Amino acid sequence: MHEVFKKHLIPKILEFLKECNYDSSNGICTALDHGASELTYQSVQNKYFSVKGQRGLKDKRPYLIEAVLKDLSADDHWTFVDVGSNNGLFCREISKKFEGKIRAIGLEGFHKFNVLAKALAFIEDCQNIEYRDFLCGEDNMLSLGINNNCFMSICSVWHHIQKK
C-alpha cells in the first residue's frame, strides 16, 4: 500500500514544490526583505527526483549533526530538534542514519514547508519523525513533550523573529 501512495504523491510533491518558495512573499520571512525567488530554500534530492533550491544539493550540515549525535551517546535515547527545519532535510537524514531510533522533530513557521517535509518523509520511508508548525518567540518548546536527552540545531532563526 505504501508503494501505491508513493506513486501518487511524487507528482503532487513536485507540483507542490512550486508553492514552497522561500522569499518575502511566504509570510514567515518578515523581519528582513528576502526579495523574490521561485525556488524552494533547500534543494531536494532522493531516489525519486532531484530539485535544485536556493541551497545547493551538496549540503554537509546533516552529516555534521549526525557525527555530533554519534559522539554524544552510544545509546539511542535522544531527541533531535531542528528549529527552522524548512523542508525537513536534517530530520529526514537523522531518521535514516539512526534507523528511526532517535525521535526527530522539525519545527518550522512556514506551514507549506511542513506539508512538504511530511510528504518527503513518507516517500523516503523515514520513521519516528514529526514536523510541527512553530513560531519562535511565540510557541512553547515544552509542548514538544521531550523527556530525554535532546540535541537541537538552530541554523538561521533569529532573523525571522519579529518580536525579539
Side-chain angles (χ1 to χ4, degrees):
M1 190 64 112
H2 199 246
E3 292 303 314
V4 171
F5 282 111
K6 282 184 187 180
K7 286 189 339 190
H8 293 289
L9 270 177
I10 291 168
K12 296 289 186 189
I13 290 170
L14 290 168
E15 185 179 317
F16 187 67
L17 271 164
K18 295 173 189 165
E19 296 182 39
C20 295
N21 59 322
Y22 184 83
D23 63 20
S24 295
S25 69
N26 71 18
I28 193 65
C29 304
T30 57
L32 294 175
D33 182 3
H34 288 267
S37 176
E38 293 183 7
L39 298 176
T40 189
Y41 185 57
Q42 289 175 315
S43 297
V44 180
Q45 186 171 14
N46 55 41
K47 65 182 180 180
Y48 305 105
F49 56 84
S50 179
V51 176
K52 186 177 182 315
Q54 293 177 27
R55 282 193 175 272
L57 288 168
K58 306 250 187 247
D59 193 340
K60 294 181 182 177
R61 294 172 306 153
Y63 308 108
L64 295 172
I65 291 170
E66 172 197 344
V68 170
L69 280 171
K70 279 186 177 178
D71 284 346
L72 287 175
S73 176
D75 65 43
D76 299 319
H77 301 292
W78 283 88
T79 296
F80 169 69
V81 177
D82 184 25
V83 180
S85 65
N86 299 305
N87 68 28
L89 173 67
F90 291 6
C91 290
R92 289 194 317 277
E93 291 302 318
I94 292 300
S95 174
K96 290 180 221 172
K97 299 295 182 201
F98 291 92
E99 299 172 343
K101 294 175 185 168
I102 290 179
R103 180 182 178 203
I105 305 170
L107 304 177
E108 174 59 48
F110 183 35
H111 177 70
K112 288 182 180 182
F113 279 170
N114 284 325
V115 172
L116 175 61
K118 289 174 185 178
L120 291 170
F122 178 82
I123 68 166
E124 294 178 25
D125 298 318
C126 297
Q127 303 297 314
N128 204 14
I129 193 168
E130 52 197 272
Y131 295 100
R132 297 189 187 192
D133 291 354
F134 193 92
L135 293 176
C136 292
E138 294 180 27
D139 290 317
N140 191 332
M141 298 289 282
L142 293 175
S143 69
L144 302 177
I146 298 170
N147 56 8
N148 58 356
N149 295 322
C150 179
F151 179 84
M152 184 179 297
S153 68
I154 306 173
C155 291
S156 62
V157 174
W158 184 251
H159 65 282
H160 295 296
I161 301 171
Q162 276 288 29
K163 299 173 188 168
K164 295 177 177 61

